[in-house]
Amino acid sequence: MNTKTTQWLVLTAVALFLFIVFFERRTEETSTAPAKLARLFPDLKPALVTQVEVAFDKLTLRALRTNEAWLLTAPLTYPALATPIEALARATAELRWRTLIPEATWQAQPGGLTNYGLNPPRAVIRLGLGNDRTELRLGARTAIGNEFYLRLGDSNAIHVVEAALLDQLPRTSTDWRSPAFLDLAGVNFNRVNIRIGPRQLELQRDATNQLWRLTLPQPTKRADNPRFGQLLEHLQRWPVQQFISDDPQIDPDPFGLLTPEAELSFASGTNRLLAVQFGKSPTNDATLVFARRLSHTNIVAVPRAWLDPLRAPYWDFAEHHLLDPLPATGPDVIEIQGDDHFALRRQTNDTWRVVEPLNFAADTNIVSDLLRGLAQLEAVELAKEVVTDFAAYGLASPLRRYTLLTARTNAAGVATNQILAQLDFGTREKDRIYARRHDESSVYVVPRGDAERLPTALYQLRDRQIWNFAGTNAHAVTITQQGREKKIARNSAGEWTNTNGPLDLVTAAALEESLHRLGQLRAESWVSQGTNRLAMYGFTNVAHKISVQVSGGGAPRTHTVEFGRWSPARRPYATVVFDGQPVIFECPPRLYVDFVAQYLSISTPPP
């Protein structure tokens, strides 16, 4: 090996060793160059910051936190966007520094603070926490670029800190402004006025039930509360597309705001709390419209399409449901005047009974469907707003009337029924029918099908359980079908017999099961009533009739059911007699096919 080369390598290794020991070690121990990045504000809690200010390029942005919301106070008063402000506060709290340049070092350099971009500073950040203030003077980036120079207030030292903070600085005067054009948070209003051209709409909230009513145009009408509530929520998402001008002295006429095309205002009583105006569209963008909020001095551009819901005809703001929301307990009495005139009363166990003119159990599900149908009934049109002659609409003596009442006890202890709602239905025209409420002078148009689905006859409210007897209590069955008759009866030993003697065990077991199923007969739906309606449903020449004689639990009784043709829904029509009238209903098809047609018939009729 070359001796000179070996000596040179040894000297190089020694030099490196001495550099590490004496220079790098001393660098680790110096207080001006910490080995690890340290937080500049270890005790700063961003959630407690109540004021943030950034000054740069002759522009100052200042925001104050009040009631958990941020408000710009400079360069103008305006709702602030919390996200960028709080991000800046967090970035400041997380700021870390690497090197501290003492005053003696930078003062010894020609140019002093100017060399670091700190004379004057590129930007100044001020944070307020109650009465405490923290000021950061931001300078230039370091040569590497991922750090920059910073002074804390009037401190003479310069910190070299991470550059991530610079990404959170606002760039323009609008960066901190809320893009929400209409913010109703904290605005306690009970009156809303919408003016589009000459048309005025006004809605006012009732102080008692908190429901909105249309007070303009007259007469006062019920408002569609869910729709209006959704509209208010929708309007609060109305975005500002452009901030046009902050000059309070600017001429509003070129923007169409001297005589605004439209205006939306919110008031408490006669005290107007907030108002926004809308003018022309920019010449280069018809999808926008100039607007201003009168509590601010600036003009903005917002999407014109958001005005469309406000242009809707006033009928769209009116309540289309004929029935107001019922109390949670519902009505106590329902009176129906239609094909029959009768009343139902709620029982203590939340079941219902027909109490006038007859007395029998009503089907609770059918009553629930009735109340649901009334609640969902909507008008498709307002026939006339103020009516003085209801006879023209068939409503002076209505074809149908539904009255819902609630039981009340007055101060004298006398029980009375108070009307919750009353709906009348009059003249039918093709697919529509006229209707009115008892407390309004208006006439509405309702889809005829919706109205005619509501029950109008006594039989339609009957409990759909036709009867309920145990098959073991049946002691005789008579079957009549297509002019023929067959009788089956139990003998003294309890065996089923016919004219040929006792039935075999399999046939007897099938008969027992069939009678058990028939004993639980329940209507799928009520169809019609009356002797004159029987032929329409195939009850001619006694198509298929079954009479079951039952004993037990009192005097012997006979249950009779007759089956007709099949309905379009593929269910057999059946009829029984209630109160001297035949009532027609749809029978469960499996009961008929699997049991009646198989074991309670003479021959199976075609479906």
Side-chain angles (χ1 to χ4, degrees):
M1 178 180 290
N2 190 305
T3 304
K4 289 184 178 181
T5 302
T6 302
Q7 290 176 346
W8 181 82
L9 291 172
V10 170
L11 289 172
T12 301
V14 171
L16 287 171
F17 174 76
L18 292 174
F19 175 80
I20 292 171
V21 171
F22 292 104
F23 183 79
E24 288 291 338
R25 182 180 176 187
R26 192 177 63 154
T27 303
E28 286 285 334
E29 293 173 350
T30 180
S31 62
T32 60
K36 298 180 180 179
L37 296 177
R39 285 182 59 184
L40 193 60
F41 302 106
D43 299 324
L44 178 61
K45 294 180 172 54
L48 301 180
V49 173
T50 57
Q51 179 175 316
V52 178
E53 180 180 304
V54 176
F56 61 97
D57 296 334
K58 298 182 180 179
L59 177 66
T60 298
L61 274 71
R62 184 185 306 111
L64 298 177
R65 190 206 303 259
T66 55
N67 299 324
E68 301 304 319
W70 288 93
L71 178 70
L72 275 178
T73 58
L76 78 168
T77 301
Y78 201 85
L81 191 61
T83 302
I85 299 171
E86 293 175 357
L88 178 60
R90 285 195 302 272
T92 303
E94 295 167 2
L95 192 62
R96 297 175 183 274
W97 65 284
R98 181 184 302 278
T99 304
L100 185 66
I101 303 173
E103 179 183 8
T105 300
W106 60 260
Q107 281 190 346
Q109 301 171 358
L113 291 174
T114 305
N115 299 327
Y116 302 92
L118 289 164
N119 188 24
R122 304 290 172 87
V124 177
I125 299 175
R126 298 182 181 91
L127 302 182
L129 293 86
N131 295 324
D132 297 331
R133 293 290 182 271
T134 299
E135 182 178 284
L136 293 77
R137 300 182 185 184
L138 282 57
R141 287 179 179 267
T142 62
I144 299 176
N146 62 348
E147 296 174 331
F148 72 98
Y149 301 109
L150 175 145
R151 289 179 66 194
L152 295 179
D154 294 328
S155 170
N156 291 326
I158 299 175
H159 287 82
V160 179
V161 299
E162 296 174 309
L165 177 67
L166 301 179
D167 296 334
Q168 304 301 331
L169 292 177
R171 300 289 184 261
T172 70
S173 63
T174 61
D175 284 359
W176 283 2
R177 295 190 194 180
S178 170
F181 175 57
L182 193 63
D183 185 2
L184 299 176
V187 183
N188 188 20
F189 60 94
N190 58 21
R191 189 162 57 88
V192 179
N193 187 279
I194 303 169
R195 181 185 64 78
I196 305 288
R199 192 203 72 173
Q200 291 264 8
L201 280 178
E202 185 175 79
L203 295 100
Q204 189 164 337
R205 183 162 46 203
D206 187 277
T208 303
N209 57 21
Q210 298 300 303
L211 295 177
W212 290 95
R213 298 182 71 82
L214 271 167
T215 52
L216 283 179
Q218 288 289 333
T220 297
K221 292 165 284 295
R222 296 170 300 125
D224 186 337
N225 280 262
R227 178 192 173 111
F228 187 59
Q230 290 173 0
L231 175 62
L232 292 177
E233 291 182 9
H234 174 71
L235 291 177
Q236 293 185 82
R237 296 192 293 272
W238 203 338
V240 172
Q241 295 292 97
Q242 300 173 24
F243 292 95
I244 305 299
S245 174
D246 296 335
D247 184 0
Q249 303 302 321
I250 194 170
D251 183 5
D253 194 39
F255 303 96
L257 291 167
L258 186 63
T259 306
E261 173 197 352
E263 184 171 299
L264 174 64
S265 65
F266 301 83
S268 177
T270 58
N271 180 28
R272 190 161 75 166
L273 305 174
L274 184 154
V276 292
Q277 296 176 333
F278 306 90
K280 301 176 181 177
S281 290
T283 54
N284 61 347
D285 193 346
T287 66
L288 300 179
V289 62
F290 293 119
R292 65 177 172 180
R293 186 167 163 175
L294 295 185
S295 57
H296 306 146
T297 59
N298 67 321
I299 294 174
V300 299
V302 298
R304 174 178 282 276
W306 288 61
L307 269 173
D308 291 343
L310 303 179
R311 300 180 190 277
Y314 85 90
W315 169 243
D316 287 3
F317 290 88
E319 177 59 81
H320 295 181
H321 289 91
L322 268 64
L323 203 67
D324 291 337
L326 294 173
T329 55
D332 298 304
V333 175
I334 304 173
E335 293 182 354
I336 299 177
Q337 178 183 322
D339 296 345
D340 298 317
H341 190 174
F342 56 97
L344 302 97
R345 183 176 294 277
R346 183 195 298 274
Q347 306 301 297
T348 53
N349 58 357
D350 271 343
T351 60
W352 287 85
R353 289 192 70 82
V354 172
V355 292
E356 294 177 11
L358 303 174
N359 192 312
F360 59 81
D363 189 295
T364 301
N365 291 330
I366 293 177
V367 178
S368 296
D369 289 344
L370 163 64
L371 293 174
R372 190 179 304 111
L374 288 170
Q376 293 174 349
L377 197 62
E378 289 190 63
V380 295
E381 184 184 329
L382 183 63
K384 191 172 182 181
E385 198 165 46
V386 179
V387 177
T388 56
D389 181 12
F390 288 100
Y393 301 94
L395 290 164
S397 299
L399 296 176
R400 301 181 178 190
R401 170 173 288 175
Y402 298 85
T403 307
L404 309 183
L405 303 107
T406 183
R408 292 285 185 269
T409 302
N410 61 23
V414 178
T416 59
N417 289 330
Q418 177 181 329
I419 292 181
L420 288 174
Q422 183 172 285
L423 301 182
D424 290 352
F425 297 91
T427 303
R428 293 173 284 200
E429 295 181 354
K430 294 183 179 178
D431 59 349
R432 47 197 265 155
I433 187 170
Y434 293 112
R436 67 164 295 204
R437 291 165 50 101
H438 77 288
D439 56 349
E440 292 182 356
S441 58
S442 301
V443 171
Y444 299 94
V445 175
V446 174
R448 180 172 172 178
D450 292 350
E452 292 188 345
R453 274 194 289 270
L454 302 173
T456 61
L458 266 172
Y459 76 89
Q460 294 173 300
L461 274 301
R462 282 189 176 274
D463 191 332
R464 283 179 291 178
Q465 189 71 47
I466 304 297
W467 51 54
N468 192 340
F469 64 82
T472 53
N473 288 337
H475 59 82
V477 180
T478 301
I479 303 168
T480 306
Q481 190 172 14
Q482 297 177 347
R484 293 183 292 167
E485 184 178 276
K486 178 169 71 173
K487 293 185 177 182
I488 309 171
R490 292 186 191 273
N491 60 22
S492 57
E495 300 172 316
W496 285 105
T497 63
N498 58 22
T499 54
N500 297 322
L503 303 182
D504 63 77
L505 294 178
V506 174
T507 304
L511 178 62
E512 288 281 8
E513 181 63 21
S514 300
L515 290 172
H516 167 72
R517 300 295 182 116
L518 187 64
Q520 311 301 312
L521 180 60
R522 182 176 177 82
E524 292 282 300
S525 66
W526 297 115
V527 176
S528 191
Q529 174 181 267
T531 304
N532 60 336
R533 311 285 289 177
L534 291 174
M536 182 183 302
Y537 297 97
F539 297 101
T540 55
N541 300 321
V542 191
H544 191 178
K545 179 179 178 181
I546 300 171
S547 294
V548 182
Q549 296 177 25
V550 180
S551 59
R557 55 200 181 279
T558 300
H559 298 295
T560 300
V561 58
E562 186 175 345
F563 297 93
R565 64 177 177 82
W566 286 64
S567 74
R570 303 304 298 158
R571 297 168 179 163
Y573 290 121
T575 180
V576 294
V577 175
F578 288 133
D579 305 312
Q581 282 273 9
V583 177
I584 302 162
F585 61 95
E586 288 184 323
C587 173
R590 288 194 58 189
L591 169 65
Y592 185 81
V593 172
D594 294 346
F595 297 97
V596 174
Q598 294 290 329
Y599 307 111
L600 294 171
S601 65
I602 298 174
S603 62
T604 305

